[in-house]
Amino acid sequence: MKTVTIIVPFYNEEESVNTFFEHLDKTLNELKEYHFSFICIDDGSTDSTLSTLQQQQNARDMEIVEFSRNFGKESAITAGLDNFSGDVAIIMDSDLQDPPSLIPELLQKLQEGFEVVTATRTDRSQDSFFKRTTAKWFYKAHNSFSDIQIPENVGDFRAMTSQVVQEIRRLRENNRFMKGIFTWVGFKTSTVNYARPEREKGETKWSLSKLWNFAVDGITSFSSLPIKIWTYIGVIIAIISLIYALIIITRTLLFGIDVPGYASILVFILFLGSLQLISIGLIGEYIGRIYMEVKERPIYVVKRIHKKES
Ligand code: UDP
Ligand code: MG
């Protein structure tokens, strides 16, 4: 019998924990041909998430990885994958936005020979207009810059074989843009479609600034085009300047000296100045990330692993 390990990050989800397992049990009880185990990560919750999880542990094969503080969802998923030892790993959110009813389909596709099965949100009407549009822009920007193409509207909700997990574990970068990491390792991938439901309980943990950082992380993690492009922009501006200089010289030779425009000079200086600041800023983004990477800090700190007493 194959062991399917479900990896779930929890951050202040006391309201969701019990409903999550209730819904999950309904689906899993139908799937008799697998053994299901859980790796739950308590990502530094400050509410009663941990104790509620411990109560749930009595009823099932489950391990709780308790972090020493909040490290973020990406680190939590990494810890889940690091502790994984089954045949199949399924990653899902704890707020029931990743419907458990999709699990049989995910497993079915793995049976068919796929090594990764993702879930694509076909209907994002539950997300705000702002989140949908910015997400669209992000995918466009990312995929036109990067070496890897991340599929649109695919979240972390996915199933994969233990071989894929092994490979993902080798990527120890601190900037954990999981969508990119998942795609980078490759393997034969299929997807199932679903409409993303609304969050059942609690609130989203994503603020605007977190989303912005996430987007910048995503692009800088898998592309160096944003810093390389300045060479080309510089060359283009140099060519334009040269042509403009030739025009001025010819005009002066033909028509004599003209009083140069104060306004146009100011506009050029400001324009070039801001271009330089943007390019320096972008270099800063990369240097900042290089700095964080060379420190080689661990991706997360585990306070305790709660194994099931048997
Ligand atoms: N999460 C986490 N650490 C964090 C933020 C979120 O482990 O710092 C977990 C959270 O408990 C949930 C999942 O990541 O299981 C998705 O979070 P959320 O629902 O807030 O994100 P959204 O669905 O809005 O993208
Ligand atoms: Mg959610």
Side-chain angles (χ1 to χ4, degrees):
M1 196 159 59
K2 278 193 168 171
T3 301
V4 177
T5 305
I6 300 180
I7 296 169
V8 202
F10 290 85
Y11 177 49
N12 290 345
E13 299 280 7
E14 60 181 2
E15 293 164 284
S16 307
V17 177
N18 290 329
T19 16
F20 172 75
F21 284 105
E22 224 172 85
H23 278 74
L24 214 62
D25 283 345
K26 271 191 216 136
T27 313
L28 302 190
N29 287 336
E30 310 271 298
L31 293 164
K32 299 265 182 261
E33 65 270 40
Y34 298 98
H35 170 71
F36 288 96
S37 71
F38 289 86
I39 299 177
C40 298
I41 300 92
D42 173 31
D43 186 11
S45 301
T46 48
D47 61 3
S48 65
T49 300
L50 182 63
S51 56
T52 323
L53 279 175
Q54 281 174 310
Q55 283 160 23
Q56 285 290 343
Q57 194 173 25
N58 298 326
R60 65 200 83 238
D61 179 0
M62 175 166 149
E63 198 175 291
I64 305 167
V65 180
E66 184 189 351
F67 278 5
S68 61
R69 65 167 171 85
N70 178 248
F71 281 90
K73 182 185 176 187
E74 318 274 306
S75 303
I77 293 176
T78 307
L81 295 174
D82 289 345
N83 285 283
F84 165 83
S85 61
D87 302 305
V88 172
I90 293 181
I91 298 169
M92 60 194 297
D93 284 0
S94 56
D95 57 2
L96 290 171
Q97 283 194 292
D98 299 337
S101 53
L102 233 59
I103 292 176
E105 270 183 80
L106 296 178
L107 293 172
Q108 177 57 36
K109 292 260 184 186
L110 287 183
Q111 288 284 10
E112 288 167 20
F114 290 101
E115 287 145 323
V116 180
V117 188
T118 59
T120 307
R121 303 165 208 172
T122 47
D123 172 15
R124 287 190 72 149
S125 56
Q126 300 297 350
D127 283 334
S128 68
F129 173 75
F130 177 77
K131 197 164 175 187
R132 267 176 306 171
T133 357
T134 47
K136 219 185 175 77
W137 289 345
F138 167 72
Y139 285 116
K140 271 218 161 65
H142 185 279
N143 289 345
S144 51
F145 285 160
S146 307
D147 320 330
I148 54 162
Q149 299 290 309
I150 51 170
E152 228 175 290
N153 294 329
V154 170
D156 295 324
F157 186 24
R158 65 187 61 221
M160 48 204 172
T161 62
S162 56
Q163 191 196 359
V164 180
V165 177
Q166 300 281 339
E167 294 307 322
I168 290 172
R169 279 189 197 149
R170 291 171 53 200
L171 278 76
R172 298 317 291 177
E173 60 221 65
N174 261 285
N175 254 308
R176 298 206 72 75
F177 181 63
M178 289 314 278
K179 279 183 207 206
I181 290 175
F182 287 140
T183 313
W184 188 88
V185 293
F187 291 100
K188 208 169 147 208
T189 306
S190 180
T191 193
V192 296
N193 293 330
Y194 76 110
R196 189 151 173 93
E198 226 167 320
R199 201 177 222 285
E200 289 262 316
K201 304 239 168 65
E203 276 173 12
T204 173
K205 310 287 182 293
W206 288 94
S207 61
L208 191 60
S209 67
K210 268 193 181 176
L211 276 174
W212 170 255
N213 282 329
F214 182 69
V216 179
D217 271 349
I219 291 175
T220 51
S221 292
F222 288 91
S223 169
S224 53
L225 192 69
I227 39 173
K228 285 190 195 149
I229 202 165
W230 296 98
T231 319
Y232 305 99
I233 294 179
V235 169
I236 291 169
I237 293 178
I239 293 172
I240 294 173
S241 313
L242 211 70
I243 296 171
Y244 189 52
L246 287 175
I247 292 173
I248 293 176
I249 291 169
T250 347
R251 207 174 54 186
T252 313
L253 287 176
L254 290 179
F255 306 108
I257 293 173
D258 174 22
V259 183
Y262 168 76
S264 56
I265 291 178
L266 201 67
V267 169
F268 285 136
I269 292 177
L270 287 177
F271 176 69
L272 288 179
S274 40
L275 270 191
Q276 281 167 347
L277 286 178
I278 295 171
S279 66
I280 293 172
L282 269 161
I283 296 172
E285 288 285 343
Y286 280 87
I287 293 182
R289 284 172 170 77
I290 295 169
Y291 181 53
M292 294 319 283
E293 294 294 341
V294 293
K295 289 189 201 200
E296 286 189 42
R297 286 186 185 153
I299 297 161
Y300 53 84
V301 176
V302 174
K303 182 170 166 189
R304 212 179 128 189
I305 294 184
H306 305 258
K307 295 229 192 245
K308 195 176 161 144
E309 297 142 39
S310 50

